Amino acid sequence: MHMADALISPVVGGAMWAATAGLATYAAKKVQQDIDDRKIPLMGVLGAFVFAAQMINFTIPATGSSGHLGGGLLLAILLGPYAAFLTIASVLTIQALFFADGGLLALGCNIFNLGFFPCFIAYPFIYKPLAGKQLTQGRLCLAAVLAAVISLQLGAFSVVLDTVFSGISNLPFSAFVILMQPIHLAIGLVEGLVTAAVILFVAKEAPEILTKTAQGQRLGNIAVKPVLVTLLIAAMITGGALSWFASNSPDGLEWSIASVTGTDELEAPDGIHGVLAGLQEKIAFLPDYNFRQEEQPVTTEANAHETPAWPAVDTGTSVAGIAGSLLTLIFAFAIGKGLRRFAKQP
């Protein structure tokens, strides 16, 4: 659900930027109340893990589409809703700035859709009541799957509303929504299962993370190192190697757009859209999670066996996965460290 700027009008984009900035400010103030030295590295490593996990697009059978994790619910379960919102915002900001994944005008929409619904709706009102206080595998799995499905349904519907209210893409509400909701139902089921698997791992290694987070308490002296090390290694392997095997099929949003319009990329209007597109092109050093691709020469018999001058696609993907994960780790860690520094607590 990484929306491109071509879907969003300046009015809607600006309004969602303002709403997201307000949520981020509120979340930052709340995080200052319970942040400690254990949660700060957890924010960084989990941000890196979600960045890497989002690079793995999995095929949705019989649709020609693919999907990837949102990650907001997983972050909320392990960090609490407020730190999770700031962390998913870090992931999406790094993706938009340095990898041109999601538009700059649409960044407020993307953070809201992938952050607000899992962190502030699905987690407190669906996951926590279903999971209960007893950490049983069955309850955790059921809660994770249902919460993931509902949060993605809400997020997908919000994408439709953002697009329709913008009114610059000519995507009709009825045709768009009837495609967006079912495809994100399938994606939500997969996200729920993956979220459950990670939660069960944490419940085995450091169950206090789940209980204290659910109660809004500081992590204190919990031994989080095994979780940090495992998830960081998983992030590096996922971003550096497993990303090679990601599906090339359009994701749920692109597939829905293509099914209605015949193309998965819409042309953005001039004006602010063009300015932001030019800015993003200058900043993004690994657009589309790969090295910049120069125009390739025509292959002739004379040069058919020459080694190409441009890097291999897999190399660029690996560099993007590792670099993006590390950038997200640093960014989310810095946010946590800054909030900790100015927090009114011992």
Side-chain angles (χ1 to χ4, degrees), residues 222-242:
I222 295 175
V224 299
K225 186 175 180 180
V227 173
L228 291 175
V229 171
T230 301
L231 291 180
L232 183 58
I233 292 173
M236 295 299 103
I237 293 175
T238 301
L242 296 183

Side-chain angles (χ1 to χ4, degrees), residues 92-234:
L92 295 169
T93 300
I94 294 296
Q95 290 173 336
L97 287 177
F98 302 119
F99 302 92
D101 190 4
L104 296 182
L105 180 62
L107 182 57
C109 297
N110 289 332
I111 293 174
F112 188 91
N113 295 335
L114 286 165
F116 174 77
F117 294 111
C119 296
F120 299 124
I121 302 296
Y123 173 68
F125 298 115
I126 300 170
Y127 174 83
K128 286 182 68 176
L130 288 175
K133 296 182 179 180
Q134 300 297 324
L135 301 180
T136 65
Q137 290 188 4
R139 292 178 70 96
L140 288 176
C141 290
L142 176 63
V145 171
L146 286 180
V149 167
I150 292 174
S151 67
L152 272 189
Q153 286 294 291
L154 293 172
F157 189 69
S158 183
V159 169
V160 174
L161 293 181
D162 292 337
T163 302
V164 172
F165 288 154
S166 291
I168 65 172
S169 64
N170 295 321
L171 282 166
F173 173 80
S174 57
F176 195 22
V177 75
I178 205 170
L179 291 167
M180 282 287 287
Q181 302 308 130
I183 199 67
H184 284 93
L185 172 62
I187 296 171
L189 287 171
V190 176
E191 169 149 14
L193 293 173
V194 174
T195 299
V198 176
I199 294 170
L200 291 176
F201 161 73
V202 175
K204 179 181 178 181
E205 294 294 329
E208 298 89 351
I209 293 178
L210 298 176
T211 55
K212 286 185 175 292
T213 298
Q215 295 166 6
Q217 298 177 356
R218 298 173 188 170
L219 297 182
N221 295 321
I222 295 175
V224 299
K225 186 175 180 180
V227 173
L228 291 175
V229 171
T230 301
L231 291 180
L232 183 58
I233 292 173

Side-chain angles (χ1 to χ4, degrees), residues 1-2 57 65-68 183 187 249-256:
M1 294 190 296
H2 291 63
N57 276 50
S65 176
S66 68
H68 63 70
I183 199 67
I187 296 171
S249 299
D251 64 25
L253 174 56
E254 295 168 339
W255 175 84
S256 299

